[in-house]
Amino acid sequence: MGGPQPAQPAAGKDPAGREELLILLASPPSAAERALVRQWLRDGGIQPAAVLPLNGPGLARSLDQAVPETVVTAVRVSWLPRERGGERRVRWADVVSQVNPRRPPVFWQNRIMRREPDRARMVVAEPATVAALRGRWGGTGSFAQFVSRQARLALDRSERALLGYRYKVPKEVTEAIADSPDFRGDVAALADRLGLTERETMVRAEADLDSLVASMSPVAVDQLSSTLRPLHARAWNVQVDTAGLDRLRALNREHALVFLPSHRSYADPLLLADVLAEHDFPPNHVLGGDNLRIWPIAPLARRAGVVFIRRTFSDDEIYKLALREYLGFLLAKRFNLEWYMEGGRSRTGKLRPPRYGLLAYVAEAIARGRAEDAWLVPVAITYDQLREVSAMAAEQAGAAKKAEGLGWLAAYARGQLARVGTVYVRFAEPLSLRAALPPGGRDGESASPDAPPKDAWRLALQKVAFEVAVRINRVTPATATALVTLALLGVRDRALTLGQVRGVLGPLRDYLAARGLPYSREILETDAGVRRVLGALSQQNVVTIYAGGEEPVYAIERGQHLVAAFYRNSAIHHFLDRAVAELVLLSPPANRWDEAMRLRDQLKFEFFFPDKTAYRAVLQAELDRIDPRWETVADGRAVLEHCDLLVANRVLRSFLDAQLVVAERLAAHPVDQPVADKEFLDECRGVGQQMLLQGRLHGPESLSRELFASALKLAANLDLLGPGGDDLAQRRRAFAGRLHDDVARLIVIDEIDAAGRREAIGVQP
């Protein structure tokens, strides 16, 4: 009983053709199903030595008496839902009728056989000899129970071949893990370390496993899909990277996949689940925090594959063991995982720094041999418009986050009833986690004498997570909405005509095309297409349109700069190298490489950069594109004045403005007092608003709590938080001085851009 088997096998004999050596396991609960099994045996001319229930003393006796060559197989009746629109899925109409089409009540089965006989199918498990089963048995627990469990799993695999792989679900997970000799050994070692009895530790570990295990069922998969599909199906036209899915399908035949998507919306997991189901992928086990246990969805979600994990469990070693073993079990059985490494939805539109906790547990499971490997799949989910951005922007401006609950879910669902645009689902090149890990396991947790130090382990995980983020960015398309908001935010509060907007968009599109970067092409090629994008932004109150003059003009709506910046930021990583190169050219030739590396360090909490060697090559290529003589040209401003495209002010100004606010507040903060994050960020918000009103900041999009928090992390990395003495005060002032210089250079680039583009945007120098 191993791999999949056709629903109607040609024979049920053992390899030598001797039916007296065939044990058939079948426990049809109804007269109709028993009749179907008898008919199947007659039609196949099969006369097994014994037909036994899946459980019971009869199986144990038969196995004890069987010779090693005896073949064991199993059979069951699979009931299919009624076909509707070419699909056989459980609908809510079935649920309301209190009838499970996949397990119809006894009194309905005869009626189905008379009217819809195609809904009843025989499913047969792949056979295995008693000798082979004993070889796979670990020797722990009852052999008969092991055979029974293997039979059920083999029947499930055969049933998937009939139903489709989107219904691949694990069964009897806690029992399988608890029976594992390796797990029992880990429990014994942990019990000794914690000073507990082995029995007490096992009981707690099994309880933790029960709390984690998603008891998936095909019915729940269908029900959750039909329940939550309205949250995204009406709102967006979904464009899917089908070529990427085809590559993943081939890889998934041999390896478990771990989908790691970008996270910008609550709809992300719903969209991805639909995309995978439509292409006959098994449902992912989606790992999420237990704060999302929203009644009445949570029980259904858990049965459809959502794994609710405690938000904090750093001191609970038993829970850690259960989590690691569960993830290892799923990967070993080739069940796919999914989680969101950013830890929450992006509030700024670009990727947030990744968190490594779950990745570490998967890596430990691989290092300990619980799973051979896991292939990480970076996924970019990109929206050209998103209703929940307004709420996230309000949070960045200081509003309290609304708690998730049933009322919140109902309000969210109402907001998704009308079409808002397109969402792009792109799959980047996957990477092997095993290949990325250092040899051996984690130091102190592996029996291997060659285990790497913990620092090497952490560094390897960090590199993997950053590589995932880089690959997500690589396939994230620059949407038409992102490019239009990039154009409008770059001119501060000025309004542009349609022709002027297209004049700014032209060089951006040319740059993306020359670099072979993904972006919205067709819609931006015509006046009608750009007008449609501006109109959609106007409907969402992001862009204001004034049509009372000679022709309509467009500008960012007052109070909507953070929303516009969210859309812009989803694409600015494509222009980051160009922006840094422009700043580098405004420094003296002898210092340009030092300046490039300083800017890389200064922006590392906002963007994902390759290692220094690779980054040097990337930046050199970008500088060569601007001017091959860049290393020797003394007047960098003259070089920039001849450029067709300047982006540094539009790409980096809001981030450096936020850093400037933090730097100035640190310089004013008493060095002998610690920096309290919440109070300090509130202070930055208030003083930043004053600086904006004074014209010292470019726009309101820099007044983001998340940008201030990232700048504070940078300051902590530079050891500027204190407390300290005169040296700290001096270093804080130097930090603020460098930010003033950076912003001053951005202003110079903005002036050059305005002067050189006056025909496109109508600005007089």
Side-chain angles (χ1 to χ4, degrees):
M1 284 171 281
Q5 184 78 357
Q8 294 283 1
K13 300 181 182 181
D14 79 300
R18 295 174 294 173
E19 293 174 341
E20 68 272 13
L21 296 182
L22 175 65
I23 296 176
L24 180 67
L25 304 182
S27 52
S30 70
E33 292 185 345
R34 288 192 291 272
L36 285 169
V37 171
R38 287 194 297 268
Q39 183 64 45
W40 173 77
L41 289 171
R42 286 195 300 270
D43 292 345
I46 303 169
Q47 297 179 348
V51 178
L52 301 171
L54 280 169
N55 291 305
L59 176 59
R61 286 194 300 269
S62 295
L63 291 172
D64 288 340
Q65 298 168 5
V67 296
E69 296 81 9
T70 298
V71 172
V72 182
T73 190
V75 64
R76 79 160 59 128
V77 179
S78 179
W79 298 91
L80 305 182
R82 180 175 295 151
E83 185 172 347
R84 303 179 181 98
E87 291 186 330
R88 294 185 181 271
R89 293 194 184 191
V90 177
R91 308 296 175 92
W92 272 107
D94 301 318
V95 178
V96 171
S97 69
Q98 299 184 339
V99 173
N100 178 357
R102 298 193 185 280
R103 291 290 180 266
V106 173
F107 66 88
W108 272 38
Q109 291 177 4
N110 288 323
R111 180 183 179 185
I112 292 173
M113 288 304 302
R114 290 194 307 270
R115 299 185 178 183
E116 303 172 278
D118 63 311
R119 289 180 56 188
R121 307 287 179 88
M122 295 302 301
V123 174
V124 186
E126 182 179 356
T129 65
V130 170
L133 289 167
R134 287 193 183 276
R136 298 209 304 263
W137 177 43
T140 303
S142 163
F143 178 55
Q145 289 180 357
F146 170 79
V147 171
S148 176
R149 184 164 62 244
Q150 293 299 299
R152 286 192 293 271
L153 294 174
L155 284 170
D156 291 340
R157 286 192 291 269
S158 295
E159 195 167 36
R160 284 200 299 275
L162 172 67
L163 303 179
Y165 283 89
R166 68 172 178 266
Y167 296 115
K168 178 183 177 182
V169 297
K171 299 289 182 66
E172 304 184 43
V173 176
T174 300
E175 295 84 353
I177 294 175
D179 284 347
S180 162
D182 289 337
F183 179 66
R184 289 181 173 275
D186 284 349
V187 167
L190 183 58
D192 184 62
R193 194 164 74 245
L194 297 178
L196 302 173
T197 68
E198 187 174 335
R199 175 61 183 164
E200 180 183 0
T201 307
M202 178 60 78
V203 168
R204 287 177 54 184
E206 289 182 344
D208 287 338
L209 282 170
D210 284 336
S211 74
L212 287 166
V213 169
S215 53
M216 296 174 71
S217 77
V219 174
V221 170
D222 285 345
Q223 287 178 352
L224 189 68
S225 174
S226 61
T227 300
L228 298 182
R229 206 165 191 276
L231 298 185
H232 66 85
R234 298 181 185 178
W236 295 285
N237 168 39
V238 183
Q239 293 194 8
V240 180
D241 170 20
T242 55
L245 276 174
D246 290 340
R247 292 192 298 269
L248 293 177
R249 183 180 291 103
L251 184 63
N252 204 190
R253 294 191 187 106
E254 302 293 334
H255 302 282
L257 306 179
V258 177
F259 290 83
L260 300 173
S262 58
H263 198 16
R264 294 184 175 91
S265 170
Y266 287 115
D268 293 337
L270 312 179
L271 276 163
L272 185 56
D274 245 19
V275 166
L276 294 176
E278 287 174 5
H279 292 82
D280 202 28
F281 275 74
N284 292 341
H285 282 72
V286 182
L287 313 184
D290 58 6
N291 63 307
L292 295 177
R293 287 181 185 261
I294 301 172
W295 186 90
I297 297 297
L300 180 61
R302 189 179 178 198
R303 293 180 60 233
V306 178
V307 179
F308 293 107
I309 300 175
R310 294 184 201 164
R311 300 292 284 180
T312 57
F313 53 89
S314 57
D315 297 328
D316 192 335
E317 295 297 324
I318 297 176
Y319 189 85
K320 290 180 182 179
L321 172 62
L323 177 59
R324 186 187 69 217
E325 293 295 323
Y326 179 42
L327 297 181
F329 173 87
L330 292 174
L331 294 172
K333 302 299 183 183
R334 210 159 37 82
F335 289 102
N336 298 335
L337 304 181
E338 173 189 335
W339 74 82
Y340 294 79
M341 293 182 68
E342 298 168 83
R345 293 169 301 153
S346 171
R347 267 54 175 184
T348 62
K350 63 180 183 59
L351 290 181
R352 304 175 85 182
R355 299 184 179 183
Y356 313 113
L358 289 173
L359 185 64
Y361 285 105
V362 170
E364 287 176 31
I366 292 171
R368 287 172 173 263
R370 299 300 190 267
E372 181 180 345
D373 198 359
W375 281 76
L376 308 182
V377 181
V379 185
I381 304 176
T382 313
Y383 304 82
D384 61 7
Q385 287 202 47
L386 190 61
R387 285 195 178 89
E388 60 204 82
V389 175
S390 296
M392 290 190 287
E395 292 170 21
Q396 294 309 296
K401 181 180 182 293
K402 292 184 179 179
E404 293 90 352
L406 190 58
W408 165 86
L409 183 61
Y412 183 83
R414 286 194 299 271
Q416 299 294 95
L417 295 178
R419 178 79 68 187
V420 293
T422 299
V423 56
Y424 305 87
V425 183
R426 300 288 182 264
F427 301 93
E429 191 69 26
L431 63 153
S432 163
L433 182 54
R434 174 171 286 283
L437 295 175
R442 287 188 63 175
D443 186 38
E445 299 181 13
S446 171
S448 170
D450 300 322
K454 289 183 179 179
D455 287 346
W457 180 269
R458 282 194 291 265
L459 180 60
L461 291 179
Q462 184 182 44
K463 287 183 176 180
V464 168
F466 271 58
E467 180 61 23
V468 168
V470 168
R471 295 189 186 196
I472 289 174
N473 276 338
R474 192 176 297 150
V475 298
T476 299
T479 67
T481 301
L483 295 176
V484 167
T485 50
L486 177 61
L488 293 179
L489 285 168
V491 295
R492 199 159 179 167
D493 292 326
R494 300 183 182 94
L496 305 182
T497 66
L498 179 63
Q500 291 166 347
V501 172
R502 293 200 65 194
V504 177
L505 289 174
L508 297 174
R509 293 173 54 229
D510 291 344
Y511 176 81
L512 292 169
R515 295 283 312 278
L517 299 171
Y519 75 100
S520 299
R521 296 173 181 269
E522 291 78 8
I523 194 171
L524 297 178
E525 290 178 349
T526 64
D527 283 355
V530 176
R531 191 182 295 113
R532 189 160 68 251
V533 176
L534 290 164
L537 286 168
S538 176
Q539 289 179 352
Q540 298 300 317
N541 299 317
V542 179
V543 166
T544 182
I545 304 175
Y546 177 75
E550 294 179 333
E551 61 179 308
V553 291
Y554 306 87
I556 301 300
E557 180 74 54
R558 184 179 298 275
Q560 295 296 305
H561 289 73
L562 283 172
V563 176
F566 181 96
Y567 295 127
R568 175 201 66 186
N569 291 347
S570 69
I572 58 173
H573 59 275
H574 289 311
F575 301 97
L576 178 61
D577 297 334
R578 175 76 179 207
V580 173
E582 292 169 11
L583 278 176
V584 165
L585 282 170
L586 290 183
S587 60
N591 299 336
R592 281 174 183 161
W593 278 123
D594 291 340
E595 180 64 11
M597 295 305 165
R598 182 190 71 80
L599 287 168
R600 177 185 179 276
D601 287 341
Q602 185 156 314
L603 295 167
K604 66 184 178 183
F605 288 96
E606 295 292 356
F607 301 100
F608 296 95
F609 294 96
D611 63 67
K612 291 185 178 181
T613 301
Y615 182 64
R616 186 182 179 102
V618 167
L619 193 61
Q620 176 152 353
E622 191 63 50
L623 286 161
D624 286 343
R625 271 188 285 271
I626 295 175
D627 189 331
R629 304 166 302 147
W630 67 270
E631 289 189 86
T632 57
V633 172
D635 189 356
R637 175 168 183 151
V639 173
L640 296 180
E641 286 174 346
H642 290 86
C643 286
D644 294 328
L645 173 68
L646 294 176
V647 299
N649 189 56
R650 284 176 273 176
V651 168
L652 296 178
R653 183 67 188 270
S654 58
F655 302 98
L656 293 181
D657 272 355
Q659 290 184 358
L660 177 62
V661 174
V662 169
E664 289 202 353
R665 298 327 302 154
L666 278 176
H669 193 81
V671 294
D672 59 343
Q673 295 180 14
V675 175
D677 287 5
K678 183 180 183 305
E679 291 77 6
F680 184 81
L681 294 177
D682 290 341
E683 178 185 346
C684 288
R685 170 70 193 176
V687 175
Q689 181 65 39
Q690 175 187 326
M691 294 171 67
L692 177 66
L693 293 172
Q694 292 175 314
R696 297 180 58 201
L697 304 182
H698 179 267
E701 61 270 24
S702 60
L703 303 182
S704 162
R705 195 174 187 86
E706 188 146 324
L707 296 190
F708 291 146
S710 295
L712 195 58
K713 289 179 183 177
L714 171 64
N717 183 255
L718 296 173
D719 194 23
L720 295 176
L721 299 191
D726 291 341
D727 174 66
L728 176 61
Q730 182 178 356
R731 288 188 292 112
R732 285 178 175 177
R733 288 193 296 271
F735 179 52
R738 289 195 298 272
L739 264 302
H740 278 284
D741 291 343
D742 291 338
V743 171
R745 281 185 289 162
L746 289 179
I747 293 172
V748 169
I749 292 172
D750 186 42
E751 291 171 350
I752 297 171
D753 190 35
R757 310 275 96 72
R758 73 170 61 100
E759 284 189 10
I761 61 176
V763 176
Q764 296 298 324

